[in-house]
Amino acid sequence: MGKITRRTTLELNTSELKEKAKTLRAGDKIELSGTVYTSRDAAHKRIKQIIEEGGKLPFEIDGATIYYAGPTGTKEGMAIGSCGPTTSGRMDPYAPLLLDMGLSAMIGKGERKPAVVDAIKRNGAVYFCAIGGCGALACQCITECEVIAFEDLGCESVKKLTFDKFPLIVALDAVGGNIFETGRNRYAEV
């Protein structure tokens, strides 16, 4: 097995991700700050339909970061309620299209299908994992929340969030590093 490379925690802003995604490696720990959009199954289905119909998306996809989450109701004194990651595989049918349109990063939990891994590499993007089961703690790193599309979907509406040092782990990187692989070298070296 090859050398496993891990960095200390990096602080990144979402505006830097399009440029920095290619330098991140599977296993890196980061604290992410900036604008992130929530989107889950139902919202992804509508986004795909808008794209197919040539309509305008609810947010600029090029350079964006999507968090697969369906936050609970807002608690008093907080910007948002519990906001943990959703299983990412449910968005796999839509991810390659969005990555090809310029999506920089995705945040969720769990493994991704080979088509998504290929699209991440092809587009120099990154997939982060957030810690599942810690939604009540994660909300403390979200300072703003605004519903921007599909309000009728409730917790699955598209929301614009502001992260402040949200802790994440690079799960899939732009050169094929994958924390879910076992056996051969799990972390790509460049």
Side-chain angles (χ1 to χ4, degrees), residues 24-92:
L24 298 172
R25 295 295 171 257
D28 285 351
K29 297 174 189 171
I30 71 154
E31 291 181 345
L32 188 63
S33 297
T35 301
V36 174
Y37 301 95
T38 64
S39 186
R40 286 180 41 172
D41 317 47
H44 270 67
K45 184 176 180 179
R46 288 190 188 177
I47 287 169
K48 183 178 182 212
Q49 183 177 3
I50 290 170
I51 292 166
E52 289 172 346
E53 294 172 357
K56 182 172 173 25
L57 295 177
F59 59 91
E60 176 59 46
I61 197 74
D62 190 35
T65 299
I66 292 179
Y67 182 25
Y68 304 137
T72 63
T74 303
K75 298 177 182 185
E76 188 175 332
M78 301 293 290
I80 198 168
S82 183
C83 193
T86 295
T87 302
S88 302
R90 295 197 323 255
M91 276 54 74
D92 282 358

Side-chain angles (χ1 to χ4, degrees), residues 18-167:
K18 192 159 182 90
E19 173 189 330
K20 300 272 185 180
K22 294 176 186 167
T23 67
L24 298 172
R25 295 295 171 257
D28 285 351
K29 297 174 189 171
I30 71 154
E31 291 181 345
L32 188 63
S33 297
T35 301
V36 174
Y37 301 95
T38 64
S39 186
R40 286 180 41 172
D41 317 47
H44 270 67
K45 184 176 180 179
R46 288 190 188 177
I47 287 169
K48 183 178 182 212
Q49 183 177 3
I50 290 170
I51 292 166
E52 289 172 346
E53 294 172 357
K56 182 172 173 25
L57 295 177
F59 59 91
E60 176 59 46
I61 197 74
D62 190 35
T65 299
I66 292 179
Y67 182 25
Y68 304 137
T72 63
T74 303
K75 298 177 182 185
E76 188 175 332
M78 301 293 290
I80 198 168
S82 183
C83 193
T86 295
T87 302
S88 302
R90 295 197 323 255
M91 276 54 74
D92 282 358
Y94 311 100
L97 171 66
L98 299 178
L99 288 161
D100 289 343
M101 292 178 69
L103 182 67
S104 291
M106 300 159 291
I107 303 166
K109 67 179 181 182
E111 295 184 60
R112 307 306 297 268
K113 289 193 166 105
V116 177
V117 174
D118 291 344
I120 288 168
K121 291 191 292 187
R122 179 172 64 246
N123 292 288
V126 64
Y127 168 57
F128 297 110
C129 279
I131 299 170
C134 293
L137 292 174
C139 71
Q140 296 175 21
C141 297
I142 300 170
T143 60
E144 294 179 37
C145 174
E146 172 190 1
V147 175
I148 62 168
F150 318 137
E151 189 170 358
D152 61 302
L153 295 178
C155 73
E156 290 199 41
S157 63
V158 175
K159 295 168 186 65
K160 179 180 177 182
L161 306 180
T162 302
F163 277 14
D164 182 29
K165 297 182 179 178
F166 195 98

